[in-house]
Amino acid sequence: MRAALCVSLISKRTCKPISTDASWPSLQQWHSLNSSLDGALLAPLPPAAVCDNSRPQFNEARCSEVATQWSSSIFHSEDPVSVMYPNWQDDSCVPSELVDRDVGESCDTTSFPAYVANVINAEQVVEAIRFARETKVRTVVKGEGHDLLGRSTAPSSFSIWTRHIQGMAFNTAFVPQGCTDSLPETAITVAAGHLMGDVYAELKQRNLSFVGAAEPNVGLGGYLTGGGHGPLSAMYGLAVDNVLEMAVAMPQGDIVLANACQNENLFWAMRGGGGATFGVLLNATLRAFPIPPVSVSIVVFNSTSSNNTGFFDAATYFFSQLPELNDKGLIGYFDLQPSDANSTSSPMTFYGLMYMLSSSDDLHAAIDPVLAKLNVTKDVTLSVLNPQFPDFEVFRETVMVCAPVGMNYIAGSWLWDATALKNKTGFQHVEQVFASDWLQGAMVSGPGVHAKGTELNAASPAWRKTIVHMSK
């Protein structure tokens, strides 16, 4: 019976239409949608289409300008179809001077969305969803285009672009709708199109901050629906642990409020269950917190030997100490990288931006004994800087800047708990495997994350015991 049912279900599957199919919406249907969106429907070319000399838009000077801006995340977030990592669009329309091909080589636009709804309000989102539901076209949602899994783009698709849904409202006594027994909290309601930097700046005027991404140009929608960790997570939890309410446009076309007291299943799923999976986020209400103090140590240790034996020993020891340091409140971002990526025997370097959201006395009491051990490790040189910052926000604005984008990137990541970090044999093996590569770590979990229950939201339960998020 189950086999027959499975065959029956598979036989009913159909592919989404593409622009060359007879079932693709007619031009008249697209015109009708444009009218219902008050002229907000776009049929944009990729920004590097100006590099294709077979097109009337070809402009060699403009192509050079696009190439100059290609590594900027703002450039891609302000474009309706471009995303941060062009491999998700098959590298099919990249500025010619950035790749090994001639100026004017053909730009294949079929790897991009064919039409974009440049929505500015909930009503337009609902209309775009209605059209997608009725025509069965493949639909994606793009906020800023940071998605490391490429879910904010698709070939021959219809894109709902939320970048221009704007607006923020601050509330010193927010209570989620229907939650009559909830205590009022200081919070900010943020529309889906805002960047992290917008929210940080708005709250800073009130001497407040929130659990947001380290990079200021990350957008709200994908960050929250992906779980969201940030530089304050160790103290306050993941970003989704601090969402009080969400407004969501649903596939059926209705707009709902989701919180702990209504649409609870949706509220659980939207907080970490995956971008553009259950609906289109319109806004989210987030807890706000007083800006904490900060104390900082920049820790750098280098190998002085090409075989890196001393470096591997030092790094293995350092990482084995992170569970205890994390319990004491230490937070950090760090890189392990070779000086020559083309050599498997190149001297390695560790760069760590380590900090505590408390006094420098607390920081030094925790980290100085570990640094003293590193300082006497054979074939390793250690340097430590302790820059001073008046508070966390000044620190964040100074050191947490936008990373370059525009290159091909497929991320691999691991959540390491205390057991993994204390497995010295396993850790040294990882170091040796990636000795000619680049590893990045974020120790942004901690007591604030670990204290939350695994059933609170759809974020991976592994976060509740994670110490370090490693990626490459």
Side-chain angles (χ1 to χ4, degrees):
M1 179 67 179
R2 289 181 179 176
L5 177 60
C6 183
V7 171
S8 174
L9 290 173
I10 291 174
S11 67
K12 293 180 181 179
R13 291 179 179 174
T14 57
C15 293
K16 297 288 187 180
I18 61 175
S19 56
T20 55
D21 293 339
S23 54
W24 181 256
S26 67
L27 194 58
Q28 182 178 353
Q29 287 175 289
W30 290 111
H31 281 310
S32 177
L33 173 62
N34 187 44
S35 296
S36 64
L37 293 175
D38 298 322
L41 186 68
L42 310 176
L45 291 172
V50 294
C51 302
D52 182 351
N53 64 5
S54 68
R55 295 178 178 275
Q57 296 84 8
F58 174 68
N59 184 318
E60 193 165 351
R62 178 59 185 148
C63 179
S64 292
E65 292 174 8
V66 170
T68 300
Q69 300 175 76
W70 197 252
S71 63
S72 164
S73 56
I74 281 290
F75 172 77
H76 296 281
S77 70
E78 296 299 331
D79 186 89
V81 293
S82 193
V83 297
M84 307 295 164
Y85 307 105
N87 48 292
W88 298 115
Q89 294 168 329
D90 299 325
D91 291 319
S92 58
C93 196
V94 177
S96 47
E97 62 184 77
L98 300 182
V99 293
D100 186 19
R101 64 185 187 190
D102 295 331
V103 173
E105 185 168 332
S106 176
C107 171
D108 180 7
T109 62
T110 60
S111 295
F112 295 79
Y115 289 92
V116 176
N118 182 18
V119 294
I120 61 172
N121 55 47
E123 292 73 24
Q124 289 181 330
V125 174
V126 168
E127 186 61 26
I129 291 174
R130 177 202 62 78
F131 180 86
R133 185 176 65 249
E134 292 178 357
T135 61
K136 297 180 172 58
V137 294
R138 184 176 303 282
T139 305
V140 295
V141 180
K142 180 192 173 189
E144 324 309 322
H146 263 97
D147 195 316
L148 294 177
L149 296 177
R151 291 168 294 189
S152 51
T153 187
S156 289
S157 61
F158 171 46
S159 176
I160 300 173
W161 188 26
T162 61
R163 176 71 178 93
H164 298 113
I165 303 178
Q166 296 283 299
M168 288 186 279
F170 180 72
N171 194 327
T172 57
F174 180 83
V175 175
Q177 189 177 99
C179 297
T180 55
D181 295 333
S182 296
L183 295 175
E185 298 193 63
T186 301
I188 186 167
T189 300
V190 184
H194 279 289
L195 304 173
M196 296 289 129
D198 300 336
V199 189
Y200 282 123
E202 182 71 19
L203 288 174
K204 184 180 178 181
Q205 299 177 50
R206 300 172 171 84
N207 294 317
L208 298 170
S209 192
F210 79 117
V211 179
E215 186 167 331
N217 287 349
V218 170
L220 188 73
Y223 177 71
L224 292 181
T225 53
H229 66 62
L232 289 180
S233 287
M235 178 174 281
Y236 296 120
L238 298 174
V240 290
D241 298 337
N242 293 288
V243 176
L244 300 174
E245 190 168 85
M246 290 172 151
V248 185
M250 301 296 288
Q252 300 82 2
D254 50 336
I255 298 172
V256 303
L257 275 181
N259 56 42
C261 304
Q262 58 180 311
N263 298 301
E264 296 96 322
N265 288 341
L266 177 66
F267 187 53
W268 181 89
M270 286 287 292
R271 292 176 299 151
T277 302
F278 306 99
V280 179
L281 181 69
L282 300 173
N283 66 56
T285 301
L286 316 170
R287 288 190 181 94
F289 304 98
I291 297 173
V294 69
S295 50
V296 181
S297 280
I298 298 174
V299 178
V300 181
F301 56 87
N302 303 279
S303 174
T304 59
S305 170
S306 60
N307 65 24
N308 287 311
T309 301
F311 178 89
F312 291 150
D313 289 342
T316 300
Y317 166 74
F318 182 80
F319 275 78
S320 74
Q321 300 305 299
L322 291 184
E324 285 73 21
L325 291 173
N326 190 235
D327 285 342
K328 294 176 181 178
L330 188 69
I331 311 165
Y333 295 85
F334 36 81
D335 297 332
L336 293 89
Q337 57 192 21
S339 57
D340 181 359
N342 297 315
S343 171
T344 57
S345 60
S346 172
M348 298 283 291
T349 296
F350 171 95
Y351 174 91
L353 176 66
M354 317 305 296
Y355 62 99
M356 279 187 173
L357 301 172
S358 59
S359 71
S360 59
D361 289 344
D362 293 337
L363 174 67
H364 290 298
I367 200 171
D368 283 358
V370 176
L371 298 180
K373 178 76 176 288
L374 293 177
N375 200 35
V376 296
T377 304
K378 184 181 178 181
D379 296 331
V380 168
T381 59
L382 172 71
S383 63
V384 180
L385 295 175
N386 295 292
Q388 303 296 307
F389 299 93
D391 59 37
F392 165 78
E393 268 303 302
V394 176
F395 163 68
R396 185 197 59 78
E397 291 174 343
T398 304
V399 304
M400 296 182 183
V401 296
C402 298
V405 298
M407 75 294 285
N408 288 348
Y409 182 51
I410 297 177
S413 66
W414 305 266
L415 298 179
W416 285 355
D417 61 9
T419 301
L421 289 165
K422 289 178 176 294
N423 181 351
K424 296 182 179 182
T425 301
F427 184 80
Q428 283 222 357
H429 177 68
V430 171
E431 289 184 284
Q432 290 161 6
V433 167
F434 292 103
S436 61
D437 210 327
W438 169 79
L439 283 175
Q440 183 179 55
M443 188 169 67
V444 290
S445 190
V449 176
H450 300 160
K452 308 294 191 297
T454 57
E455 299 299 320
L456 178 63
N457 48 52
S460 171
W463 271 110
R464 306 308 170 185
K465 58 180 183 178
T466 290
I467 306 297
V468 174
H469 175 210
M470 293 295 294
S471 60
K472 69 169 293 294

